Amino acid sequence: MLGIIKLFHIIFSSIWFSSAFFTPKDLRNTLEKGFPHTELLKTRVESTQKINVMAGLLTFVTGMGLIFASGGFKAVPVSIHISLLLTLGVVVMDLAVLNGIWQKIDEIINKNEDLEPAKKLAKKYSMFLGIEHSLRTIILILMVLKPF
């Protein structure tokens, strides 16, 4: 059973790690092209965000399954505890910060006005997604190396 949970944990974490990798570039390039290219942007970004959040949550759930299948919190290294908290933090950042920035970009696009404010927000979106990717990398290192 532990092997099956671990397999799904690796699959979900791989999806979570890679799902939004190209979103910032797509966002910036599409906003640079302007209308009518922005019409399909909403579908792409929102689909990616859904996949990203679901994969993050499933990574968290399968991680909890691994912890309990291994004997509980006392049986796993502290680095796993830290990774668990960081995972929750990244998912919350995705839901609160990135989703909020995207909603503002979407409002600007829907108004069919100047896209300059949306381009500035796209840079902010990229920055926060970069922070998320850095945190995911730290999580991966903590999970694999288990330094403490």
Side-chain angles (χ1 to χ4, degrees):
M1 186 63 157
L2 186 65
I4 293 170
I5 297 171
K6 191 178 281 191
L7 173 68
F8 280 106
H9 184 68
I10 291 169
I11 290 169
F12 292 135
S13 63
S14 297
I15 294 168
W16 182 51
F17 202 94
S18 64
S19 63
F21 198 70
F22 295 105
T23 303
K25 184 175 176 79
D26 180 28
L27 188 56
R28 288 190 311 270
N29 287 347
T30 304
L31 289 172
E32 196 60 44
K33 290 178 183 177
F35 304 106
H37 302 284
T38 55
E39 291 176 14
L40 298 176
L41 185 62
K42 180 176 183 157
T43 304
R44 292 194 308 267
V45 171
E46 289 181 358
S47 295
T48 301
Q49 284 183 319
K50 285 178 188 173
I51 292 168
N52 200 22
V53 169
M54 287 306 298
L57 290 173
L58 289 168
T59 298
F60 176 79
V61 169
T62 55
M64 290 296 290
L66 286 170
I67 289 170
F68 288 114
S70 299
F73 284 101
K74 289 184 179 179
V76 297
V78 173
S79 60
I80 301 296
H81 298 197
I82 295 168
S83 298
L84 188 67
L85 289 173
L86 288 173
T87 299
L88 276 177
V90 171
V91 171
V92 168
M93 186 188 301
D94 222 9
L95 287 168
V97 178
L98 287 180
N99 191 46
I101 295 170
W102 165 247
Q103 293 304 319
K104 291 176 185 174
I105 293 171
D106 189 42
E107 286 174 18
I108 294 167
I109 292 170
N110 289 335
K111 290 179 183 176
N112 287 325
E113 294 177 358
D114 180 31
L115 292 177
E116 283 307 312
K119 291 175 187 177
K120 289 179 183 175
L121 286 168
K123 289 180 183 178
K124 192 174 184 180
Y125 187 96
S126 298
M127 180 189 71
F128 277 103
L129 198 55
I131 292 168
E132 277 193 16
H133 282 302
S134 298
L135 289 171
R136 287 185 191 121
T137 302
I138 291 168
I139 292 166
L140 182 63
I141 291 167
L142 287 171
M143 291 288 181
V144 174
L145 299 181
K146 297 177 186 143
F148 43 89

